[in-house]
Amino acid sequence: LTLQSCTNYAPISTSYNCMRNIGGVVGAIGKVTNQAGEKSSIELLIDQCHNYGVVTIGGTASISNWQRHIGGIAGMLYGSDTGITVSNCTNNAALSTTATGGGEHRIAGIVGHTKYGNIEVSSCTNNGEIKTTQTAKNPRPAGIISVVNESDKLLLSGCYNKGKILNTSSEGTVFAGGIVAYLIKANITGCHNEGMVEVTNGGGAIKIGGIVGADNATASTISDCVNRGQILYSHSQQPYIGGILGYAGVPTKISDCA
């Protein structure tokens, strides 16, 4: 399956309580189930696709543990044995969520959430502001990918974030990153963040990084990455903050970063 040279100009706005995967170009691709380890057989290429449509998500999640996946290009990429590639894509619009309830609010300029399988995201750029506000529960705002979860092989390379990353929600834990908010098993190389990362509120653990907010896998590496974005924090709770990586739950290999 190939999606090439696709552009969305239309705004996307929803307050539907069961809406789970929202993307400027693609809502979700792959086998989106709750069966651990299941992968699809789809070979997917998303190349030279662009989003100019503002994405605004509201409402209240009707299922308490449902995550919301919101991306300027794709909401959810569920991994494939044969490989998924997202390349040369840009998001040029603001993305925001004020939705309440549910599990986590995973929102990013390119992809909201990746899980399982072989996935590569390369040479993509986010120019839009990414914002979690009001009572968005467990916010995970990021420039490129919000949450990388249990990927067998995820390569994130040559991506740029130029948009502001902002959280003002007071509900639950907060992970925020210029490139990735929360990471489980991936290789990140040659990525640059130039956008401000600002957190003004939070209700639990707060982890903020210029490149990655938090990492929780021994197999992850971050190399040749540069953060030039200012990090602002103005909440009373003690945070974990890093110019490259905000918090490492396990040893993470970081090399040649600035």
Side-chain angles (χ1 to χ4, degrees):
L1 175 63
T2 298
L3 298 174
Q4 195 164 34
S5 301
C6 299
T7 302
N8 174 57
Y9 292 98
I12 298 172
S13 178
T14 179
S15 58
Y16 183 56
N17 293 341
C18 291
M19 189 65 72
R20 191 173 185 187
N21 303 303
I22 304 103
V25 177
V26 174
I29 289 286
K31 187 178 287 186
V32 186
T33 72
N34 291 321
Q35 300 302 313
E38 282 195 11
K39 303 168 191 170
S40 72
S41 59
I42 294 174
E43 184 174 358
L44 172 68
L45 171 64
I46 303 176
D47 182 56
Q48 299 181 62
C49 291
H50 312 288
N51 178 56
Y52 291 87
V54 173
V55 179
T56 307
I57 307 302
T60 301
S62 58
I63 299 177
S64 62
N65 64 345
W66 265 30
Q67 326 300 342
R68 295 200 180 203
H69 311 131
I70 306 156
I73 301 300
M76 168 77 164
L77 296 179
Y78 212 89
S80 167
D81 288 322
T82 52
I84 291 176
T85 300
V86 181
S87 58
N88 305 303
C89 294
T90 60
N91 174 60
N92 299 294
L95 279 64
S96 65
T97 175
T98 61
T100 61
E104 296 178 3
H105 286 78
R106 300 167 175 175
I107 181 170
I110 303 300
V111 181
H113 184 209
T114 65
K115 189 168 185 176
Y116 302 132
N118 303 320
I119 301 172
E120 180 176 352
V121 179
S122 64
S123 302
C124 293
T125 300
N126 173 58
N127 296 311
E129 181 180 69
I130 309 300
K131 183 166 59 175
T132 47
T133 64
Q134 297 181 16
T135 55
K137 189 175 180 182
N138 297 320
R140 310 282 188 259
I144 303 300
I145 303 176
S146 172
V147 174
V148 176
N149 193 357
E150 302 175 39
S151 293
D152 293 338
K153 294 179 182 178
L154 185 135
L155 174 62
L156 179 56
S157 66
C159 293
Y160 281 76
N161 175 58
K162 300 179 181 180
K164 182 177 181 179
I165 310 302
L166 173 64
N167 174 70
T168 63
S169 172
S170 61
E171 295 295 315
T173 60
V174 179
F175 300 157
I179 301 297
V180 175
Y182 183 68
L183 179 64
I184 300 179
K185 197 174 183 181
N187 295 319
I188 301 176
T189 184
C191 292
H192 295 249
N193 175 54
E194 298 176 5
M196 178 187 293
V197 182
E198 182 177 8
V199 173
T200 65
N201 216 334
I206 298 172
K207 301 168 183 180
I208 310 164
I211 300 297
V212 176
D215 176 33
N216 196 34
T218 56
S220 293
T221 63
I222 304 171
S223 63
D224 298 305
C225 292
V226 176
N227 175 51
R228 293 190 176 92
Q230 184 179 12
I231 298 174
L232 295 180
Y233 180 72
S234 56
H235 187 45
S236 59
Q237 185 166 324
Q238 182 176 346
Y240 298 92
I241 298 175
I244 301 298
L245 173 63
Y247 175 85
V250 291
T252 303
K253 183 177 180 180
I254 301 174
S255 63
D256 301 315
C257 293

